[in-house]
Amino acid sequence: MLKKALLLLAAALICLSSFSKGKKEITVVFYNVENLFDTINHPDKLDNDFTPMGKLNWDTRRYNDKLSKLSYVLSSINKEVLPEIIGLCEIENKDVIEDLINGERLKKGKYQIVHNESPDKRGIDCALIYKKGEFKYLKHETINIEFPWEKEYKTRDILYVQGLVGRKDTLNIFVNHWPSRRGGQEKSEPNRVFVAKQLRKAVNTIQAKNPFAKIIIMGDFNDEPTDKAVIETLKANNDRNTNNPMGLFNLMYDLQANNEGSYNYKGEWNMLDNLIVSNSLLNESRGYQTAHNSGRIYRNKWICFKNKKGVLTPNKTYGGTKYYGGFSDHFPVFFKLKK
């Protein structure tokens, strides 16, 4: 009887040790996966190019190859453990996310999906995937964007997801894909400023209820940390005075200052993919937190293309209509939360 009790106790301690170890560190990733479309023509979307008969000759072989390459990237960010929380943009629908997470490299993560169809005319959306054992989903909603001066212009919704890490730490996560720079950065800037206002309003609502709320904002902003929409409207900066828990800190700000970027346009680096946290995640003495310098760009050589000048840039799937068979035109960005 005593032997049996000791065996049960030992088993319980092993399980508890494993559980605690798994909860000590959470990796948060954002990845613009560059037009992850299926091969089906959906009449309500402008996706005809991404079909076997379209001008991009997007067929099953190319689709499966891209899925394999994206899963390889995501599974390589951590050497030992798959990332716990991953934000995605430029995905067409829930089906392509399911194909991604059910591939050989990611299926062991048993990822769950949070996704809503957005009104974007091309059909691209934002999504969040998470490991069920590491993040407990509570709720989600979308912030729909309607421009008063251009009502026919439909862009991506902002996806808001609330969940728990550990037993008590609530995370409020916003996944973004702001309007492009079509027509030039200056001409298109009002669109991104407007989106930033809607996001800031949502953040204010959360912080009015709880000034110490832990907030993560991730996404392809099509703007850099020092651009107006990010630093003035959203009020995310690199101010290390974290006495105000409601402030927002951009983990990618200093990387941009060092001329690093997640996207390369005509030889120039742009930090379009931002990771922003509330100050409460920087100075909270209990639960999960991160450091000012925790923002990272994942740019292993094998996901890069070496241009004529020898510079390593993201190896993209397409350049115009030319098929390169790469991974994405963006590098993934990530940071770690630690207990």
Side-chain angles (χ1 to χ4, degrees):
M1 189 72 177
L2 178 60
K3 184 177 180 180
K4 183 177 180 181
L6 288 173
L7 287 172
L8 289 172
L9 178 60
L13 288 172
I14 291 170
C15 290
L16 181 59
S17 174
S18 175
F19 177 82
S20 299
K21 184 179 180 181
K23 296 293 184 181
K24 285 183 179 178
E25 187 173 273
I26 299 288
T27 301
V28 181
V29 178
F30 175 77
Y31 197 10
N32 178 329
V33 294
E34 188 200 356
N35 296 321
L36 181 56
F37 282 81
D38 59 28
T39 61
I40 302 167
N41 184 13
H42 302 274
D44 58 333
K45 299 177 182 179
L46 298 178
D47 64 347
N48 187 59
D49 291 346
F50 286 92
T51 60
M53 301 303 293
K55 66 180 182 181
L56 298 177
N57 299 310
W58 186 244
D59 56 20
T60 301
R61 181 184 64 81
R62 290 183 175 183
Y63 174 61
N64 287 334
D65 181 65
K66 185 173 178 75
L67 288 171
S68 176
K69 286 174 175 171
L70 292 175
S71 64
Y72 190 25
V73 173
L74 291 170
S75 64
S76 301
I77 290 174
N78 276 336
K79 290 183 179 179
E80 298 178 0
V81 181
L82 290 172
E84 286 76 16
I85 299 172
I86 303 173
L88 301 168
C89 80
E90 291 201 14
I91 50 96
E92 185 181 17
N93 50 46
K94 190 175 181 179
D95 291 342
V96 300
I97 310 172
E98 288 178 341
D99 287 343
L100 178 65
I101 65 176
N102 288 321
E104 186 64 31
R105 293 183 180 275
L106 295 183
K107 65 181 181 181
K108 62 183 179 181
K110 298 181 180 179
Y111 285 103
Q112 306 295 302
I113 300 171
V114 185
H115 166 261
N116 278 77
E117 288 285 341
S118 74
D120 181 273
K121 291 182 179 179
R122 291 181 57 222
I124 54 175
D125 311 321
C126 297
L128 189 83
I129 61 175
Y130 62 90
K131 292 167 76 173
K132 188 176 181 180
E134 307 292 344
F135 180 82
K136 182 181 178 182
Y137 167 89
L138 295 177
K139 67 177 183 178
H140 82 277
E141 58 189 55
T142 55
I143 302 172
N144 182 251
I145 308 298
E146 293 186 1
F147 301 103
W149 58 87
E150 195 176 6
K151 293 186 177 181
E152 71 280 3
Y153 178 34
K154 304 298 182 183
T155 191
R156 281 74 59 177
D157 294 333
I158 299 172
L159 178 65
Y160 166 63
V161 183
Q162 186 183 74
L164 293 174
V165 286
R167 296 178 183 273
K168 298 179 180 179
D169 255 359
T170 301
L171 293 183
N172 299 277
I173 304 173
F174 294 90
V175 187
N176 298 258
H177 187 190
W178 291 4
S180 72
R181 295 185 174 188
R182 65 179 181 132
Q185 181 183 1
E186 184 177 348
K187 182 180 178 182
S188 61
E189 186 175 63
N191 289 338
R192 292 185 295 281
V193 168
F194 181 80
V195 175
K197 286 180 180 178
Q198 311 315 305
L199 177 56
R200 182 70 242 193
K201 188 184 300 182
V203 169
N204 289 344
T205 299
I206 293 170
Q207 292 180 328
K209 296 177 182 177
N210 177 11
F212 294 92
K214 295 185 175 183
I215 296 171
I216 297 172
I217 299 170
M218 61 172 78
D220 176 0
F221 288 4
N222 278 303
D223 263 334
E224 301 190 85
T226 53
D227 285 328
K228 179 180 178 180
V230 185
I231 198 166
E232 293 183 21
T233 309
L234 186 57
K235 296 181 172 60
N237 52 45
N238 72 331
D239 184 0
R240 281 166 170 71
N241 180 11
T242 56
N243 290 328
N244 174 20
M246 298 170 67
L248 296 178
F249 189 91
N250 195 331
L251 299 174
M252 312 309 286
Y253 191 108
D254 291 343
L255 294 179
Q256 184 208 0
N258 290 329
N259 297 316
E260 297 186 47
S262 57
Y263 180 80
N264 191 281
Y265 182 69
K266 295 184 177 180
E268 296 291 329
W269 284 107
N270 301 122
M271 189 65 73
L272 301 184
D273 301 283
N274 290 261
L275 296 170
I276 296 167
V277 298
S278 56
N279 284 350
S280 55
L281 271 169
L282 295 175
N283 59 13
E284 177 61 55
S285 60
R286 291 178 296 178
Y288 286 91
Q289 56 187 304
T290 192
H292 296 89
N293 61 351
S294 61
R296 296 286 185 271
I297 304 168
Y298 186 74
R299 49 183 166 208
N300 201 301
K301 287 184 179 179
W302 52 264
I303 66 171
C304 297
F305 168 79
K306 183 183 286 189
N307 64 21
K308 294 178 180 178
K309 296 181 180 180
V311 178
L312 296 175
T313 62
N315 187 5
K316 53 194 176 183
T317 307
Y318 281 95
T321 58
K322 186 175 181 180
Y323 179 67
Y324 291 106
F327 301 81
S328 171
D329 55 354
H330 288 245
F331 287 137
V333 294
F334 70 99
F335 71 101
K336 294 180 184 292
L337 291 169
K338 297 183 179 182
K339 221 180 229 185

